[in-house]
Amino acid sequence: MPLKDTQNERDHRNIAIDRVGVKALRFPVEVREKEGGSQRTVATTALAVDLPEHFKGTHMSRFVEVLNSHGNCLDVREMKKVPEELLERLEASKAHVEFEFPFFRTKPAPVTGKGGVLDYSVRFEVEACANGDSDFVCTVMVPVATLCPCSKAISDYGAHNQRGLVTFAVRAKRPIWVEDLIDLVESSASCELYSLLKRPDEKYVTERAYDNPVFVEDLVRNVASKANAQDNIVWYRVEAENFESIHNHNAYAMIEKHAE
């Protein structure tokens, strides 16, 4: 006796669903590096499709089946295939997938050159439509250091500084390297962060931040200015949040450039 397929039953509320699927599913991925190598990491994934108003539900197991059909490690170059396969397997008109993962870089300390590993969060969002349209957004989340220009201007001794987090999302005409986006953001702050600092390095980063004070407004404008200078980037959204060291609130700013 066949099992009842409740998902395919008709729904009578006449309300379509924009996205339905699975979230918080971890999966191993392999990410290419600019220098020619690659690194294996673990992504937290979200997979979804649209659902017409006449269907009661979607088939959740098919999302996992599609993801696992790529083996035990998904190459980043194959990510665009996932939403395309979801369109076919679930008879949808639009599919959206997200992969968020830690990306690691070994950074030499600025003076001693001592190497230390620093992690960044990266998110790939891929969308495919049955009419052939597609979309890809790359987002990097970069921790930075900022020093307050106002504090420096009014204080007799030093200035307050803090860590901040810049979230930089882009659409580009051509493939763009994660490392280049990270470098763009780090060069826009008072100073970049390092995982390993000896005393000469600590002196350097302290003085560099002091010589390059930026408000959270300056930070997003710096990133936007550098992005505007690259014809490959057609859209971006840059958000900066400073974890204030002398306030019980955070400072925040955002700029979005819409595609022409």
Side-chain angles (χ1 to χ4, degrees):
M1 180 177 178
L3 297 177
K4 184 179 181 180
D5 189 351
T6 307
Q7 287 90 338
N8 276 337
E9 291 181 356
R10 188 169 186 86
D11 194 274
H12 300 285
R13 285 164 286 191
N14 294 317
I15 300 174
I17 298 177
D18 294 319
R19 288 184 188 176
V20 58
V22 299
K23 295 186 73 173
L25 176 62
R26 292 195 293 177
F27 198 81
V29 296
E30 184 171 2
V31 184
R32 287 187 295 163
E33 298 172 332
K34 186 179 181 181
E35 298 301 320
S38 64
Q39 59 178 268
R40 289 197 168 194
T41 183
V42 177
T44 299
T45 69
L47 304 92
V49 295
D50 64 331
L51 187 70
E53 65 275 6
H54 53 274
F55 284 127
K56 185 173 183 62
T58 191
H59 294 81
M60 297 293 182
S61 63
R62 294 181 186 177
F63 294 97
V64 183
E65 286 178 337
V66 167
L67 190 58
N68 280 275
S69 68
H70 291 270
N72 60 4
C73 186
L74 177 66
D75 190 306
V76 66
R77 290 168 289 188
E78 296 182 358
M79 286 183 180
K80 67 176 184 178
K81 296 179 182 179
V82 176
E84 294 171 354
E85 293 170 13
L86 290 175
L87 289 177
E88 182 177 351
R89 288 293 308 275
L90 290 151
E91 301 179 9
S93 60
K94 183 180 294 186
H96 182 95
V97 300
E98 296 180 14
F99 299 85
E100 185 168 326
F101 52 89
F103 183 81
F104 296 90
R105 300 182 78 184
T106 299
K107 295 179 62 176
V111 178
T112 65
K114 297 283 187 180
V117 175
L118 195 66
D119 65 293
Y120 306 83
S121 291
V122 177
R123 181 169 61 246
F124 292 159
E125 298 176 69
V126 192
E127 193 164 274
C129 299
N131 64 6
D133 291 343
S134 62
D135 187 35
F136 178 79
V137 176
C138 177
T139 303
V140 294
M141 286 149 270
V142 183
V144 296
T146 60
L147 184 135
C148 178
C150 180
S151 176
K152 178 180 178 179
I154 65 176
S155 301
D156 293 329
Y157 310 104
H160 83 80
N161 53 23
Q162 55 273 318
R163 280 194 296 166
L165 182 67
V166 176
T167 302
F168 185 36
V170 304
R171 290 186 176 97
K173 300 176 186 175
R174 303 175 299 277
I176 193 165
W177 292 105
V178 167
E179 292 92 330
D180 289 340
L181 296 178
I182 292 172
D183 290 343
L184 187 153
V185 171
E186 291 184 332
S187 66
S188 302
S190 295
C191 188
E192 58 189 279
L193 299 188
Y194 301 86
S195 64
L196 176 60
L197 295 173
K198 306 297 284 186
R199 277 177 292 179
D201 304 307
E202 188 171 346
K203 178 179 185 298
Y204 171 88
V205 299
T206 301
E207 292 174 347
R208 176 167 176 78
Y210 190 78
D211 290 336
N212 295 278
V214 295
F215 289 123
V216 70
E217 298 94 330
D218 296 314
L219 183 51
V220 293
R221 283 173 171 152
N222 288 344
V223 173
S225 178
K226 295 175 188 293
N228 289 338
Q230 298 192 20
D231 65 353
N232 187 33
I233 298 177
V234 297
W235 170 90
Y236 61 78
R237 182 175 59 246
V238 53
E239 300 174 84
E241 184 175 3
N242 280 348
F243 309 117
E244 293 289 303
S245 59
I246 63 171
H247 303 288
N248 67 344
H249 60 261
N250 295 342
Y252 171 82
M254 186 272 282
I255 296 174
E256 182 172 359
K257 175 187 177 181
H258 296 279
E260 298 177 357

